[in-house]
Amino acid sequence: MGQTAMSEKQKRLHYWPDTASLAPHMCLIEAGASFELVKTDLKAYKFLTAEYRTLNPHMRIPTYTEGNPDEGGLVLYEAAAICLHVADTHSNSSLMPELGSDARALAYKYMIYLTNTLQAELMVFNYAKRHCDDESAIPSIRAAGDQRIGKMLEFLDRELGDGRTWLVPGAAHGAVDYYLLMLAGWAEYFKVSTLPSTLSVLGPYLKRCQDLPAARTAIEAEGFEPNF
Ligand SMILES: N[C@@H](CCC(=O)N[C@@H](CS)C(=O)NCC(=O)O)C(=O)O
């Protein structure tokens, strides 16, 4: 009796436009969830209050909560974990293929590939100064990252080149497509030398992802210019 039903718990997503909160934001919209968007400018916020640190010790965006964090409510960070949790709690959505299916296994493969490779590399590229003691090393770190990001985007272009509509062959669009749209948007914004939009299959695929109603709605709500 004491427990609030999951559907009644207030959901909140701490976001900043066009950052790692974008895929969770699109997944929440796709799932039809009702949630509050909390704009959280870390540059200003981290010096102003310790409140956010209690939610996310890494002081990163995004953080997602369900219910009151002070009363044992769920506090979740890591963008991919939020996307997968939203899929799990909205199993009537097509965010992830059916549990136990081959398609579901492939969706895990792509989600983990994206977080472990493309996202990690984009972070090093963007925050190169955090990866060296000597500032003169920054251009070389970025140049190596640029090459590696290009190879990853070309790999994804080849994967999509077999005629599939969405990243998981034969499946509906879902969380992995929103995740790739988010990461490719950063690559485009960072002006890497292999721009995702210029790749023959990946480019049109990204446009297709961006045209999905949940993507359009999230981009409009966050108020940034679409990357594709
Ligand atoms: N692995 C984390 C990374 C989150 C992350 O680094 N977010 C960036 C925005 S895209 C951030 O908060 N950066 C602020 C900083 O690193 O100071 C995730 O996927 O949620």
Side-chain angles (χ1 to χ4, degrees):
M1 287 289 272
Q3 274 204 329
T4 314
M6 188 172 308
S7 59
E8 293 166 23
K9 288 182 187 165
Q10 172 69 52
K11 299 176 175 68
R12 284 199 178 89
L13 179 68
H14 290 264
Y15 86 105
W16 185 253
D18 204 9
T19 66
S21 44
L22 182 61
H25 187 182
M26 294 187 291
C27 287
L28 282 161
I29 294 173
E30 175 76 42
S34 89
F35 62 98
E36 185 189 342
L37 264 183
V38 185
K39 196 168 190 176
T40 307
D41 179 357
L42 285 185
K43 283 201 182 78
Y45 211 72
K46 93 168 91 176
F47 301 110
L48 293 177
T49 176
E51 187 193 339
Y52 192 73
R53 192 180 293 279
T54 65
L55 297 178
N56 186 332
H58 307 294
M59 292 299 278
R60 301 279 175 95
I61 292 289
T63 305
Y64 171 78
T65 60
E66 271 176 12
N68 185 344
D70 296 332
E71 291 171 7
L74 174 70
V75 179
L76 198 56
Y77 48 83
E78 289 303 324
I82 300 169
C83 294
L84 294 174
H85 174 67
V86 173
D88 286 349
T89 50
H90 298 82
S91 48
N92 55 344
S93 76
S94 65
L95 281 170
M96 288 290 282
E98 192 188 339
L99 194 61
S101 64
D102 287 359
R104 178 88 167 207
L106 295 176
Y108 289 138
K109 178 188 79 170
Y110 283 119
M111 187 61 100
I112 290 163
Y113 174 79
L114 291 174
T115 61
N116 280 6
T117 58
L118 187 55
Q119 182 172 358
E121 204 65 49
L122 286 163
M123 299 298 272
V124 174
F125 184 85
N126 189 40
Y127 296 115
K129 65 171 182 283
R130 294 182 184 172
H131 295 269
C132 56
D133 297 326
D134 175 2
E135 290 222 342
S136 68
I138 293 175
S140 140
I141 293 173
R142 286 173 64 88
D146 187 54
Q147 293 296 308
R148 289 166 59 81
I149 291 164
K151 288 198 170 69
M152 290 166 190
L153 293 169
E154 281 163 1
F155 161 74
L156 290 162
D157 186 60
R158 283 196 302 279
E159 288 285 283
L160 288 159
D162 62 6
R164 66 184 84 169
T165 309
W166 305 108
L167 192 50
V168 177
H173 69 266
V176 290
D177 299 292
Y178 290 125
Y179 216 88
L180 177 49
L181 174 63
M182 174 180 83
L183 298 183
W186 302 350
E188 199 76 15
Y189 180 81
F190 297 160
K191 298 191 170 33
V192 297
S193 48
T194 305
L195 285 175
S197 60
T198 63
L199 293 173
S200 63
V201 191
L202 185 62
Y205 157 85
L206 291 166
K207 189 85 184 68
R208 202 153 62 241
C209 291
Q210 189 180 263
D211 284 341
L212 290 165
R216 286 251 159 250
T217 307
I219 291 168
E220 200 181 312
E222 296 194 5
F224 66 91
E225 275 305 306
N227 292 302
F228 301 102

